Amino acid sequence: MNLLKVIEERKSIRAFKPDPVPREKIEEILRLSILAPSAINLQPWEFIVVTGEEKERLSRRLIKAYKEKQIACSPGNVKPLPKTYGKRGAKTLELMKPFFEEMGVDIDPYINEGSCSFYGAPVAILICLDDSFPKARMVDIGLALGYLVLTAHEFGLGTCPIGLIIAYEDEIKDLLNIPENKNIVIGVGLGYPDWDSPINRFKSQRDNLEKFIRWIE
Ligand SMILES: Cc1cc2nc3c(=O)[nH]c(=O)nc-3n(C[C@H](O)[C@H](O)[C@H](O)COP(=O)(O)O)c2cc1C
């Protein structure tokens, strides 16, 4: 497929078929993901791939943690969020509403518990960063994530980045024996999209390009 077509088409998938993804395919996606550039070619990313019964165990632990702590999907801002950003998030949720209505489900539990279970994806990938790195190395992780979601799409697979699980990092580290000095930066659900699910017809919009650019000429 053409790269530009992949970029145009890719979207986050929020309902997956349970069909397993062959290990070779996951390896090929990750092999291409690590072709992403990184500062001084440090390649700081580390992938923890969780599948099968272990993935189900992870989902169960995350849902339990969510029910106990009730930390939901949010921008995670550290200062009051300027209105522009809040409006974009609210608009996205508003546009998702009809799809959830069609499914007869409430949006909050679907998104929060769905995120905790990687929306039923058979593969959960956790991308980690050694805690000796500065915040700036998050850029490298983001690039690998970008490559991952695009490559997966090329292979007919769907993805959803899952930031919510970071709120439950301690529980994940405990369950999967992840060393204390590894920070979990982001999770990703990976699998075959369930195209019969209405929510997978949803395509998010972007604000006008001019809102993001300041030209200095
Ligand atoms: C860092 C990051 C964290 C995200 N966390 C979640 C999440 O916890 N749950 C979820 O449903 N979607 C999550 N998403 C997906 C975004 O909601 C999605 O990318 C955004 O709405 C744009 O839609 P698109 O990916 O379909 O283009 C996350 C995306 C990114 C990049």
Side-chain angles (χ1 to χ4, degrees):
M1 208 190 272
N2 176 297
L3 174 64
L4 301 186
K5 192 166 182 291
V6 172
I7 291 174
E8 293 275 2
E9 279 185 8
R10 186 230 43 98
K11 59 182 184 176
S12 292
I13 292 298
R14 293 192 175 83
F16 290 87
K17 291 185 187 161
D19 312 16
V21 181
R23 189 183 171 123
E24 309 76 61
K25 213 166 237 185
I26 304 172
E27 272 171 351
E28 184 61 355
I29 291 169
L30 295 180
R31 187 186 70 77
L32 292 159
S33 300
I34 64 167
L35 297 182
S38 62
I40 328 176
N41 200 19
L42 292 172
Q43 306 162 65
W45 37 69
E46 293 177 40
F47 303 96
I48 297 177
V49 184
V50 191
T51 64
E53 180 46 38
E54 285 299 314
K55 194 259 143 183
E56 296 315 313
R57 210 160 68 96
L58 174 61
S59 298
R60 285 196 297 272
R61 184 70 192 89
L62 284 167
I63 288 174
K64 182 169 176 270
Y66 167 68
K67 286 189 171 153
E68 281 162 11
K69 292 189 180 167
Q70 292 287 317
I71 305 171
C73 282
S74 81
N77 42 302
V78 290
K79 285 200 289 183
L81 200 63
K83 279 203 180 78
T84 327
Y85 304 112
K87 272 194 211 155
R88 287 182 192 143
K91 188 179 171 198
T92 301
L93 289 175
E94 197 55 39
L95 292 172
M96 276 182 171
K97 250 190 192 164
F99 297 90
F100 289 118
E101 276 167 13
E102 190 181 333
M103 293 162 79
V105 298
D106 290 333
I107 186 160
D108 285 349
Y110 191 92
I111 294 280
N112 293 312
E113 292 182 28
S115 292
C116 289
S117 67
F118 300 84
Y119 295 105
V123 184
I125 301 178
L126 311 174
I127 313 185
C128 301
L129 181 69
D130 193 280
D131 70 0
S132 52
F133 285 116
K135 254 199 309 201
R137 294 287 67 74
M138 294 282 203
V139 175
D140 312 56
I141 301 294
L143 277 160
L145 171 69
Y147 274 43
L148 194 163
V149 296
L150 292 174
T151 306
H153 182 81
E154 165 72 28
F155 290 156
L157 286 154
T159 54
C160 190
I162 308 282
L164 176 61
I165 60 159
I166 307 312
Y168 307 109
E169 187 177 12
D170 290 346
E171 287 84 352
I172 302 175
K173 281 183 163 179
D174 181 49
L175 188 81
L176 302 177
N177 292 317
I178 299 173
E180 205 39 53
N181 65 326
K182 302 295 173 187
N183 290 327
I184 305 172
V185 180
I186 187 81
V188 191
L190 172 76
Y192 297 97
D194 175 1
W195 292 120
D196 291 335
S197 177
I199 191 58
N200 284 341
R201 293 204 309 272
F202 171 71
K203 175 89 170 152
S204 65
Q205 300 179 352
R206 296 296 182 269
D207 216 336
N208 296 330
L209 183 60
E210 74 243 25
K211 300 252 175 74
F212 302 104
I213 310 179
R214 178 181 161 219
W215 296 96
I216 301 176
E217 294 174 303

